[in-house]
Coordinates of all heavy atoms in Angstrom, one line a residue:
M1 N -43.0 -18.9 -65.5 CA -44.1 -19.9 -65.3 C -44.2 -20.6 -66.6 O -44.0 -20.1 -67.7 CB -45.4 -19.0 -65.1 CG -46.6 -20.0 -64.9 SD -48.1 -19.1 -64.6 CE -48.6 -18.8 -66.3
S2 N -44.4 -21.9 -66.4 CA -44.6 -22.8 -67.6 C -45.9 -23.7 -67.3 O -46.1 -24.1 -66.3 CB -43.5 -23.8 -67.7 OG -42.3 -23.1 -68.0
Q3 N -46.7 -23.8 -68.4 CA -47.8 -24.8 -68.4 C -47.6 -25.8 -69.4 O -47.3 -25.6 -70.5 CB -49.1 -24.0 -68.7 CG -49.4 -23.0 -67.6 CD -50.8 -22.2 -68.0 OE1 -51.0 -21.8 -69.1 NE2 -51.6 -22.2 -67.0
V4 N -47.7 -27.1 -68.9 CA -47.4 -28.1 -69.7 C -48.5 -29.2 -69.8 O -49.1 -29.5 -68.7 CB -46.1 -28.9 -69.1 CG1 -45.8 -30.2 -70.0 CG2 -44.9 -28.1 -69.1
Q5 N -48.9 -29.7 -70.9 CA -49.9 -30.8 -71.2 C -49.3 -31.8 -72.1 O -48.7 -31.3 -73.2 CB -51.1 -30.2 -71.7 CG -51.9 -29.3 -70.9 CD -53.2 -28.8 -71.5 OE1 -53.5 -29.1 -72.7 NE2 -54.0 -27.9 -70.8
A6 N -49.2 -33.0 -71.7 CA -48.5 -34.0 -72.6 C -49.1 -35.4 -72.2 O -49.9 -35.5 -71.3 CB -47.1 -34.0 -72.4
G7 N -48.5 -36.4 -72.8 CA -48.9 -37.8 -72.6 C -47.7 -38.4 -71.8 O -46.8 -37.8 -71.3
P8 N -47.9 -39.8 -71.7 CA -46.9 -40.5 -70.8 C -45.4 -40.2 -71.2 O -45.1 -40.2 -72.4 CB -47.2 -42.0 -71.1 CG -48.7 -41.9 -71.7 CD -48.8 -40.6 -72.3
Q9 N -44.6 -40.1 -70.1 CA -43.2 -39.9 -70.4 C -42.4 -40.0 -69.1 O -42.9 -39.9 -67.9 CB -43.0 -38.5 -71.0 CG -43.5 -37.3 -70.2 CD -43.3 -36.1 -70.8 OE1 -42.2 -35.4 -70.7 NE2 -44.3 -35.6 -71.5
T10 N -41.1 -40.1 -69.3 CA -40.2 -40.0 -68.2 C -39.1 -38.9 -68.6 O -38.5 -38.9 -69.6 CB -39.4 -41.3 -67.9 OG1 -40.3 -42.3 -67.5 CG2 -38.3 -41.2 -66.8
V11 N -38.9 -38.0 -67.6 CA -38.0 -36.8 -67.7 C -36.8 -37.1 -66.7 O -37.1 -37.2 -65.6 CB -38.7 -35.5 -67.6 CG1 -37.6 -34.4 -67.7 CG2 -39.9 -35.2 -68.5
T12 N -35.6 -37.1 -67.2 CA -34.5 -37.3 -66.4 C -33.6 -36.1 -66.5 O -33.2 -35.7 -67.7 CB -33.7 -38.6 -66.7 OG1 -34.7 -39.6 -66.6 CG2 -32.6 -38.7 -65.9
R13 N -33.2 -35.5 -65.4 CA -32.1 -34.4 -65.4 C -31.0 -35.0 -64.7 O -31.0 -35.2 -63.5 CB -32.8 -33.2 -64.7 CG -31.8 -32.1 -64.7 CD -32.5 -30.8 -64.2 NE -31.7 -29.7 -64.1 CZ -31.4 -28.8 -65.1 NH1 -32.0 -29.0 -66.3 NH2 -30.6 -27.8 -64.9
S14 N -30.0 -35.4 -65.5 CA -28.8 -36.1 -64.9 C -27.7 -35.0 -64.5 O -27.8 -33.8 -64.9 CB -28.2 -37.0 -65.9 OG -27.8 -36.3 -67.0
S15 N -26.8 -35.5 -63.8 CA -25.7 -34.6 -63.5 C -25.0 -34.0 -64.7 O -24.5 -32.8 -64.6 CB -24.6 -35.3 -62.7 OG -25.2 -35.8 -61.4
R16 N -25.0 -34.8 -65.7 CA -24.3 -34.3 -67.0 C -25.1 -33.1 -67.5 O -24.4 -32.2 -68.2 CB -24.3 -35.5 -67.9 CG -23.6 -35.3 -69.2 CD -23.6 -36.5 -70.0 NE -24.8 -37.1 -70.4 CZ -25.5 -36.7 -71.6 NH1 -25.0 -35.9 -72.4 NH2 -26.6 -37.4 -71.8
L17 N -26.4 -33.1 -67.4 CA -27.1 -32.0 -67.9 C -27.1 -30.6 -67.1 O -27.6 -29.6 -67.5 CB -28.6 -32.4 -68.2 CG -28.8 -33.6 -69.2 CD1 -30.2 -34.1 -69.1 CD2 -28.3 -33.1 -70.5
I18 N -26.7 -30.8 -65.9 CA -26.8 -29.5 -65.0 C -25.5 -28.8 -65.1 O -24.4 -29.3 -65.0 CB -27.0 -30.1 -63.5 CG1 -28.3 -30.8 -63.4 CG2 -26.8 -28.8 -62.5 CD1 -28.4 -31.5 -62.1
Q19 N -25.7 -27.5 -65.4 CA -24.5 -26.6 -65.5 C -24.6 -25.5 -64.5 O -24.2 -25.9 -63.3 CB -24.4 -26.0 -67.0 CG -24.2 -27.0 -68.0 CD -24.2 -26.5 -69.4 OE1 -24.3 -25.2 -69.6 NE2 -24.0 -27.2 -70.4
D20 N -25.1 -24.4 -64.6 CA -25.1 -23.4 -63.6 C -26.6 -23.2 -63.1 O -27.0 -22.1 -62.8 CB -24.8 -22.0 -64.3 CG -23.1 -22.2 -64.6 OD1 -22.4 -22.8 -63.9 OD2 -22.7 -21.5 -65.6
A21 N -27.3 -24.3 -63.2 CA -28.8 -24.1 -62.7 C -28.8 -24.0 -61.2 O -28.2 -24.9 -60.5 CB -29.6 -25.4 -63.2
E22 N -29.4 -22.9 -60.8 CA -29.6 -22.8 -59.4 C -31.1 -22.3 -59.0 O -31.2 -21.3 -58.3 CB -28.6 -21.9 -58.7 CG -27.2 -22.6 -58.7 CD -26.3 -21.8 -58.0 OE1 -26.7 -20.8 -57.2 OE2 -25.0 -21.9 -58.1
D23 N -32.1 -22.9 -59.6 CA -33.4 -22.5 -59.3 C -34.2 -23.6 -58.5 O -33.9 -24.7 -58.6 CB -34.2 -22.4 -60.7 CG -33.6 -21.2 -61.4 OD1 -33.1 -20.2 -60.9 OD2 -33.7 -21.2 -62.8
L24 N -35.2 -23.1 -57.8 CA -36.2 -24.0 -57.2 C -37.3 -24.0 -58.1 O -37.7 -23.0 -58.7 CB -36.6 -23.5 -55.9 CG -35.5 -23.4 -54.8 CD1 -36.2 -22.8 -53.5 CD2 -35.0 -24.8 -54.6
I25 N -38.0 -25.2 -58.3 CA -39.0 -25.3 -59.2 C -40.2 -25.7 -58.4 O -40.3 -27.0 -57.9 CB -38.8 -26.3 -60.3 CG1 -37.6 -26.0 -61.1 CG2 -40.0 -26.5 -61.3 CD1 -36.9 -26.9 -62.1
L26 N -41.3 -24.9 -58.3 CA -42.5 -25.2 -57.7 C -43.6 -25.6 -58.7 O -43.8 -24.9 -59.6 CB -43.0 -24.0 -56.9 CG -44.3 -24.2 -56.1 CD1 -44.2 -25.2 -55.0 CD2 -44.8 -22.9 -55.5
T27 N -44.1 -26.9 -58.6 CA -45.0 -27.4 -59.6 C -46.3 -27.8 -58.9 O -46.4 -28.3 -57.9 CB -44.4 -28.7 -60.2 OG1 -43.1 -28.4 -60.8 CG2 -45.3 -29.2 -61.4
L28 N -47.4 -27.3 -59.6 CA -48.8 -27.7 -59.3 C -49.2 -28.7 -60.3 O -49.5 -28.4 -61.4 CB -49.7 -26.5 -59.2 CG -51.1 -26.7 -59.1 CD1 -51.5 -27.5 -57.8 CD2 -52.1 -25.5 -59.2
Q29 N -49.5 -30.0 -59.8 CA -50.0 -31.0 -60.7 C -51.5 -30.7 -60.8 O -52.2 -30.7 -59.9 CB -49.7 -32.4 -60.1 CG -50.0 -33.5 -61.0 CD -48.9 -33.7 -62.0 OE1 -47.8 -33.3 -61.9 NE2 -49.3 -34.4 -63.1
Q30 N -52.0 -30.7 -62.1 CA -53.4 -30.3 -62.2 C -54.1 -31.6 -62.8 O -55.3 -31.7 -62.6 CB -53.5 -29.2 -63.3 CG -53.0 -27.9 -62.7 CD -52.7 -26.9 -63.6 OE1 -51.9 -27.1 -64.6 NE2 -53.3 -25.7 -63.5
R31 N -53.5 -32.4 -63.5 CA -54.2 -33.6 -64.2 C -53.2 -34.7 -64.2 O -52.0 -34.5 -64.6 CB -54.8 -33.3 -65.6 CG -55.6 -34.4 -66.1 CD -56.4 -34.0 -67.4 NE -55.5 -33.3 -68.3 CZ -55.0 -33.8 -69.4 NH1 -55.2 -35.1 -69.7 NH2 -54.3 -33.1 -70.2
G32 N -53.5 -36.0 -64.0 CA -52.6 -37.1 -64.0 C -51.9 -37.2 -62.7 O -51.9 -36.4 -61.8
T33 N -51.0 -38.3 -62.7 CA -50.2 -38.5 -61.5 C -48.8 -38.7 -61.9 O -48.5 -39.5 -62.9 CB -50.7 -39.8 -60.8 OG1 -52.1 -39.6 -60.3 CG2 -49.9 -40.1 -59.5
A34 N -47.8 -38.2 -61.1 CA -46.5 -38.2 -61.5 C -45.7 -38.8 -60.2 O -46.1 -38.7 -59.1 CB -45.9 -36.8 -61.8
I35 N -44.6 -39.5 -60.5 CA -43.6 -40.0 -59.5 C -42.5 -39.1 -59.7 O -41.8 -39.2 -60.8 CB -43.4 -41.5 -59.7 CG1 -44.6 -42.4 -59.6 CG2 -42.3 -41.9 -58.6 CD1 -45.3 -42.3 -58.3
K36 N -42.0 -38.3 -58.7 CA -40.9 -37.6 -58.8 C -39.8 -38.2 -57.8 O -40.1 -38.5 -56.7 CB -41.2 -36.1 -58.4 CG -41.9 -35.4 -59.5 CD -42.1 -34.0 -59.0 CE -41.1 -33.0 -59.7 NZ -41.4 -31.7 -59.4
E37 N -38.6 -38.2 -58.3 CA -37.5 -38.7 -57.5 C -36.3 -37.7 -57.5 O -35.9 -37.1 -58.5 CB -36.9 -39.9 -58.1 CG -37.9 -41.1 -58.2 CD -37.4 -42.3 -59.0 OE1 -36.4 -42.9 -58.6 OE2 -38.1 -42.5 -60.1
Q38 N -35.8 -37.3 -56.3 CA -34.6 -36.5 -56.1 C -34.0 -36.8 -54.8 O -34.6 -37.0 -53.8 CB -35.1 -35.0 -56.2 CG -33.9 -34.0 -56.3 CD -34.2 -32.7 -56.7 OE1 -35.2 -32.1 -56.1 NE2 -33.4 -32.2 -57.7
D39 N -32.7 -36.8 -54.8 CA -32.0 -37.0 -53.6 C -32.3 -38.3 -52.8 O -32.4 -38.3 -51.5 CB -32.0 -35.8 -52.7 CG -31.5 -34.6 -53.2 OD1 -30.5 -34.7 -54.0 OD2 -31.9 -33.5 -52.8
G40 N -32.6 -39.4 -53.6 CA -32.9 -40.6 -53.0 C -34.4 -40.7 -52.4 O -34.7 -41.7 -51.7
R41 N -35.2 -39.7 -52.5 CA -36.5 -39.6 -52.1 C -37.5 -39.8 -53.4 O -37.1 -39.3 -54.4 CB -36.8 -38.4 -51.3 CG -36.1 -38.3 -50.0 CD -36.3 -37.1 -49.3 NE -35.5 -36.1 -50.1 CZ -35.3 -34.8 -49.8 NH1 -35.8 -34.3 -48.7 NH2 -34.4 -34.0 -50.5
Q42 N -38.6 -40.3 -53.0 CA -39.6 -40.5 -54.1 C -41.0 -40.1 -53.6 O -41.3 -40.3 -52.5 CB -39.7 -42.0 -54.5 CG -40.5 -42.3 -55.7 CD -40.6 -43.7 -56.0 OE1 -41.3 -44.5 -55.4 NE2 -39.9 -44.1 -57.1
A43 N -41.8 -39.3 -54.4 CA -43.1 -38.8 -54.0 C -44.1 -39.0 -55.2 O -43.8 -38.9 -56.3 CB -43.0 -37.4 -53.7
R44 N -45.3 -39.5 -54.8 CA -46.3 -39.6 -55.7 C -47.1 -38.2 -55.7 O -47.6 -37.8 -54.6 CB -47.3 -40.6 -55.3 CG -48.5 -40.9 -56.2 CD -49.3 -42.1 -55.7 NE -50.5 -42.2 -56.5 CZ -51.6 -41.5 -56.4 NH1 -51.8 -40.5 -55.4 NH2 -52.6 -41.8 -57.2
I45 N -47.2 -37.6 -56.9 CA -47.8 -36.2 -57.0 C -49.1 -36.3 -57.8 O -49.0 -36.7 -59.0 CB -46.8 -35.3 -57.7 CG1 -45.4 -35.3 -57.1 CG2 -47.4 -33.8 -57.6 CD1 -45.3 -35.0 -55.7
G46 N -50.3 -36.0 -57.2 CA -51.5 -36.2 -57.9 C -52.1 -34.8 -58.1 O -51.6 -33.7 -57.6
P47 N -53.3 -34.7 -58.8 CA -54.0 -33.4 -59.0 C -54.2 -32.7 -57.7 O -54.6 -33.2 -56.7 CB -55.3 -33.8 -59.6 CG -55.0 -35.1 -60.2 CD -54.0 -35.9 -59.3
G48 N -53.8 -31.3 -57.8 CA -53.9 -30.5 -56.5 C -52.7 -30.5 -55.6 O -52.6 -29.7 -54.8
D49 N -51.8 -31.4 -55.9 CA -50.6 -31.5 -55.0 C -49.4 -30.5 -55.7 O -49.4 -30.3 -56.9 CB -50.0 -32.9 -55.1 CG -50.7 -33.8 -54.4 OD1 -51.5 -33.5 -53.5 OD2 -50.6 -35.1 -54.6
F50 N -48.6 -29.9 -54.7 CA -47.5 -29.2 -55.1 C -46.3 -30.0 -54.8 O -46.2 -30.9 -54.0 CB -47.4 -27.9 -54.2 CG -48.3 -26.9 -54.6 CD1 -49.6 -26.7 -54.0 CD2 -48.0 -25.9 -55.6 CE1 -50.4 -25.7 -54.4 CE2 -48.9 -24.9 -55.9 CZ -50.1 -24.8 -55.4
S51 N -45.2 -29.7 -55.6 CA -43.9 -30.4 -55.4 C -42.8 -29.3 -55.5 O -43.0 -28.3 -56.3 CB -43.6 -31.6 -56.3 OG -43.6 -31.1 -57.6
L52 N -41.7 -29.5 -54.9 CA -40.6 -28.6 -55.0 C -39.4 -29.3 -55.4 O -39.0 -30.3 -54.8 CB -40.4 -27.9 -53.6 CG -39.3 -26.8 -53.5 CD1 -39.8 -25.6 -54.4 CD2 -39.1 -26.3 -52.1
S53 N -38.7 -28.9 -56.5 CA -37.5 -29.6 -56.9 C -36.3 -28.5 -57.0 O -36.6 -27.3 -57.2 CB -37.7 -30.1 -58.3 OG -38.7 -31.0 -58.4
D54 N -35.1 -28.9 -56.9 CA -33.9 -28.2 -56.9 C -33.3 -28.5 -58.3 O -32.8 -29.6 -58.5 CB -33.0 -28.6 -55.8 CG -31.7 -27.7 -55.7 OD1 -31.4 -27.0 -56.8 OD2 -31.1 -27.7 -54.7
S55 N -33.2 -27.5 -59.2 CA -32.6 -27.7 -60.5 C -31.2 -27.9 -60.5 O -30.6 -28.3 -61.6 CB -33.1 -26.5 -61.4 OG -32.3 -25.4 -61.0
S56 N -30.5 -27.7 -59.4 CA -29.0 -27.9 -59.4 C -28.6 -29.4 -59.0 O -27.6 -29.6 -59.0 CB -28.4 -27.0 -58.3 OG -28.7 -27.2 -57.0
R57 N -29.7 -30.2 -58.8 CA -29.4 -31.6 -58.5 C -30.2 -32.5 -59.3 O -31.3 -32.1 -59.8 CB -29.7 -31.8 -57.0 CG -28.9 -31.0 -56.1 CD -28.9 -31.4 -54.7 NE -30.2 -31.6 -54.0 CZ -30.9 -30.8 -53.2 NH1 -30.3 -29.6 -52.8 NH2 -32.0 -31.1 -52.7
P58 N -29.7 -33.7 -59.7 CA -30.4 -34.6 -60.6 C -31.8 -35.0 -60.0 O -32.0 -35.1 -58.8 CB -29.6 -35.9 -60.5 CG -28.2 -35.4 -60.2 CD -28.5 -34.2 -59.2
F59 N -32.7 -35.2 -61.0 CA -34.0 -35.7 -60.6 C -34.7 -36.4 -61.8 O -34.2 -36.4 -62.9 CB -35.0 -34.5 -60.2 CG -35.5 -33.6 -61.2 CD1 -36.6 -33.9 -62.0 CD2 -34.8 -32.4 -61.4 CE1 -37.0 -32.9 -63.0 CE2 -35.2 -31.5 -62.3 CZ -36.3 -31.7 -63.2
R60 N -35.7 -37.2 -61.5 CA -36.5 -38.0 -62.5 C -38.0 -37.8 -62.2 O -38.4 -37.8 -61.1 CB -36.1 -39.3 -62.4 CG -36.9 -40.3 -63.5 CD -36.7 -41.7 -63.4 NE -35.5 -42.2 -62.8 CZ -34.3 -42.6 -63.6 NH1 -34.5 -42.7 -64.8 NH2 -33.3 -43.0 -63.0
K61 N -38.7 -37.6 -63.3 CA -40.2 -37.5 -63.1 C -40.8 -38.4 -64.2 O -40.5 -38.4 -65.3 CB -40.7 -36.1 -63.5 CG -42.2 -35.8 -63.3 CD -42.5 -34.4 -63.5 CE -44.0 -34.2 -63.2 NZ -44.3 -32.8 -63.4
T62 N -41.7 -39.3 -63.6 CA -42.3 -40.3 -64.5 C -43.8 -40.2 -64.5 O -44.4 -40.0 -63.3 CB -42.0 -41.7 -64.1 OG1 -40.5 -41.9 -64.1 CG2 -42.6 -42.8 -65.0
V63 N -44.5 -40.1 -65.6 CA -45.9 -39.9 -65.7 C -46.4 -41.0 -66.6 O -46.0 -41.1 -67.8 CB -46.4 -38.6 -66.2 CG1 -47.9 -38.4 -66.2 CG2 -45.7 -37.4 -65.4
Q64 N -47.4 -41.9 -66.2 CA -47.9 -43.0 -66.9 C -49.0 -42.6 -67.9 O -49.2 -43.4 -69.0 CB -48.5 -44.1 -66.0 CG -47.4 -44.6 -65.0 CD -46.5 -45.7 -65.6 OE1 -46.9 -46.4 -66.4 NE2 -45.3 -45.7 -65.1
G65 N -49.7 -41.5 -67.8 CA -50.8 -41.2 -68.7 C -50.8 -39.7 -69.0 O -49.8 -39.0 -68.7
D66 N -51.9 -39.2 -69.6 CA -52.0 -37.8 -69.9 C -51.9 -37.0 -68.7 O -52.4 -37.5 -67.6 CB -53.4 -37.6 -70.7 CG -53.3 -38.1 -72.0 OD1 -52.2 -38.5 -72.6 OD2 -54.4 -38.2 -72.6
F67 N -51.3 -35.8 -68.7 CA -51.2 -35.0 -67.6 C -51.1 -33.4 -67.9 O -50.8 -33.2 -69.1 CB -49.8 -35.3 -66.7 CG -48.6 -35.1 -67.5 CD1 -48.0 -33.8 -67.4 CD2 -48.0 -35.9 -68.5 CE1 -46.8 -33.5 -68.0 CE2 -46.9 -35.7 -69.1 CZ -46.3 -34.5 -68.9
S68 N -51.2 -32.6 -66.9 CA -50.9 -31.2 -67.1 C -50.4 -30.7 -65.8 O -50.9 -31.2 -64.6 CB -52.2 -30.4 -67.6 OG -53.2 -30.5 -66.6
F69 N -49.5 -29.7 -65.8 CA -49.1 -29.0 -64.6 C -48.6 -27.6 -64.9 O -48.5 -27.3 -66.1 CB -47.9 -29.8 -64.0 CG -46.7 -29.9 -64.7 CD1 -45.7 -28.8 -64.7 CD2 -46.4 -31.1 -65.4 CE1 -44.6 -29.0 -65.5 CE2 -45.2 -31.2 -66.2 CZ -44.3 -30.1 -66.2
T70 N -48.5 -26.8 -63.9 CA -48.0 -25.5 -64.0 C -46.8 -25.4 -63.1 O -47.0 -25.8 -62.0 CB -49.1 -24.4 -63.6 OG1 -50.1 -24.6 -64.5 CG2 -48.5 -23.0 -63.8
S71 N -45.6 -24.9 -63.6 CA -44.5 -24.7 -62.7 C -44.0 -23.3 -62.7 O -44.2 -22.6 -63.6 CB -43.4 -25.7 -63.2 OG -42.9 -25.4 -64.5
F72 N -43.4 -22.9 -61.6 CA -42.9 -21.7 -61.4 C -41.3 -21.8 -60.9 O -41.1 -22.7 -60.1 CB -43.6 -20.9 -60.2 CG -45.1 -20.9 -60.4 CD1 -45.9 -21.9 -60.1 CD2 -45.6 -19.8 -61.1 CE1 -47.2 -22.0 -60.3 CE2 -47.0 -19.7 -61.2 CZ -47.8 -20.7 -60.9
Q73 N -40.5 -21.0 -61.5 CA -39.0 -21.1 -61.1 C -38.6 -19.9 -60.4 O -39.0 -18.8 -60.8 CB -38.3 -21.2 -62.4 CG -38.3 -22.6 -63.0 CD -37.4 -22.8 -64.2 OE1 -37.8 -22.7 -65.3 NE2 -36.1 -23.0 -63.9
F74 N -37.9 -20.2 -59.3 CA -37.4 -19.1 -58.5 C -35.9 -19.2 -58.3 O -35.4 -20.3 -58.0 CB -38.0 -19.1 -57.1 CG -39.5 -19.1 -57.2 CD1 -40.3 -20.3 -57.2 CD2 -40.2 -17.9 -57.1 CE1 -41.7 -20.2 -57.2 CE2 -41.6 -17.8 -57.2 CZ -42.3 -19.1 -57.2
P75 N -35.1 -18.1 -58.3 CA -33.7 -18.2 -58.0 C -33.5 -18.8 -56.6 O -34.0 -18.2 -55.6 CB -33.1 -16.8 -58.1 CG -34.3 -16.0 -58.9 CD -35.5 -16.8 -58.6
A76 N -32.7 -19.8 -56.5 CA -32.6 -20.5 -55.1 C -31.7 -19.6 -54.2 O -32.0 -19.5 -53.1 CB -31.9 -21.8 -55.3
R77 N -30.7 -19.0 -54.8 CA -29.8 -18.2 -53.9 C -30.4 -17.0 -53.2 O -29.9 -16.6 -52.2 CB -28.5 -17.8 -54.7 CG -28.8 -16.8 -55.7 CD -27.5 -16.4 -56.4 NE -27.7 -15.9 -57.7 CZ -27.9 -16.5 -58.8 NH1 -27.9 -17.9 -58.8 NH2 -28.1 -15.9 -60.0
T78 N -31.5 -16.5 -53.7 CA -32.2 -15.4 -53.2 C -33.5 -15.8 -52.2 O -34.1 -14.9 -51.7 CB -32.7 -14.4 -54.2 OG1 -33.6 -15.0 -55.0 CG2 -31.6 -13.8 -54.9
S79 N -33.6 -17.1 -52.2 CA -34.7 -17.6 -51.5 C -34.5 -18.0 -50.0 O -33.7 -18.9 -49.8 CB -35.4 -18.8 -52.3 OG -36.4 -19.4 -51.6
A80 N -35.3 -17.5 -49.1 CA -35.1 -18.0 -47.7 C -35.6 -19.4 -47.6 O -35.0 -20.2 -46.8 CB -36.0 -17.1 -46.8
C81 N -36.5 -19.8 -48.4 CA -37.0 -21.2 -48.5 C -35.8 -22.1 -48.9 O -35.7 -23.1 -48.2 CB -38.1 -21.3 -49.5 SG -38.6 -23.0 -49.8
A82 N -35.0 -21.7 -49.8 CA -33.9 -22.6 -50.3 C -32.9 -22.9 -49.1 O -32.5 -23.9 -48.9 CB -33.1 -21.9 -51.4
R83 N -32.7 -21.8 -48.3 CA -31.7 -21.9 -47.1 C -32.4 -22.9 -46.1 O -31.7 -23.7 -45.5 CB -31.5 -20.6 -46.5 CG -30.5 -19.8 -47.5 CD -30.1 -18.5 -46.8 NE -31.1 -17.5 -46.6 CZ -31.7 -16.6 -47.4 NH1 -31.2 -16.6 -48.7 NH2 -32.6 -15.8 -47.1
R84 N -33.7 -22.9 -45.8 CA -34.3 -23.6 -44.7 C -34.6 -25.0 -45.2 O -34.3 -26.0 -44.6 CB -35.5 -23.0 -44.3 CG -35.3 -21.7 -43.4 CD -36.5 -21.2 -42.6 NE -37.6 -20.9 -43.6 CZ -37.8 -19.8 -44.0 NH1 -37.1 -18.8 -43.7 NH2 -39.0 -19.5 -44.7
I85 N -35.1 -25.2 -46.4 CA -35.6 -26.5 -46.9 C -34.5 -27.3 -47.6 O -34.4 -28.4 -47.4 CB -36.8 -26.4 -47.8 CG1 -38.0 -25.7 -47.1 CG2 -37.2 -27.7 -48.5 CD1 -39.2 -25.4 -47.9
C86 N -33.8 -26.7 -48.5 CA -32.8 -27.3 -49.3 C -31.4 -27.3 -48.7 O -30.5 -27.8 -49.3 CB -32.8 -26.7 -50.7 SG -34.5 -26.8 -51.5
G87 N -31.1 -26.6 -47.5 CA -29.9 -26.6 -47.0 C -28.8 -25.7 -47.7 O -27.7 -26.0 -47.7
R88 N -29.3 -24.7 -48.4 CA -28.4 -23.9 -49.2 C -27.9 -22.8 -48.3 O -28.5 -22.2 -47.6 CB -29.0 -23.3 -50.5 CG -29.2 -24.4 -51.5 CD -30.0 -23.8 -52.6 NE -30.0 -24.8 -53.6 CZ -29.2 -24.7 -54.7 NH1 -28.4 -23.6 -54.9 NH2 -29.2 -25.5 -55.7

């Protein structure tokens, strides 16, 4: 579990940065609004919204103002959710 509070930023996880990562990341946005992009899809994530990312694939998260979120990481290979939602 990670709790993050910070100011405006863009975080990019490129193919070059991905090695043996195989986790699903469930994030609860608590303050601020983020734009998350993965696999050609884009979502606006506001306070109270959950998002799910696959750490084995590139993604980008952009936040324009102050924000906070809590994220949880789960091994994708042991998750029934990964098999149904992410096609693993």
Side-chain angles (χ1 to χ4, degrees):
M1 181 179 89
S2 300
Q3 293 183 312
V4 177
Q5 295 181 356
Q9 60 184 273
T10 297
V11 175
T12 302
R13 185 170 176 86
S14 66
S15 298
R16 183 174 64 90
L17 298 174
I18 298 170
Q19 293 179 4
D20 293 326
E22 289 193 13
D23 292 331
L24 293 179
I25 305 167
L26 178 67
T27 302
L28 170 61
Q29 190 77 22
Q30 294 161 302
R31 185 169 49 100
T33 300
I35 303 297
K36 286 182 98 171
E37 301 171 62
Q38 188 168 47
D39 295 333
R41 293 174 285 189
Q42 187 179 77
R44 182 182 177 275
I45 312 299
D49 290 340
F50 283 92
S51 63
L52 186 64
S53 301
D54 181 344
S55 70
S56 70
R57 300 195 309 255
F59 70 85
R60 179 188 332 261
K61 181 176 182 176
T62 303
V63 186
Q64 300 276 330
D66 292 343
F67 67 92
S68 64
F69 65 80
T70 301
S71 65
F72 306 86
Q73 288 186 255
F74 303 95
R77 70 179 155 274
T78 61
S79 171
C81 172
R83 289 188 294 276
R84 286 194 302 269
I85 296 174
C86 300
R88 290 176 168 253

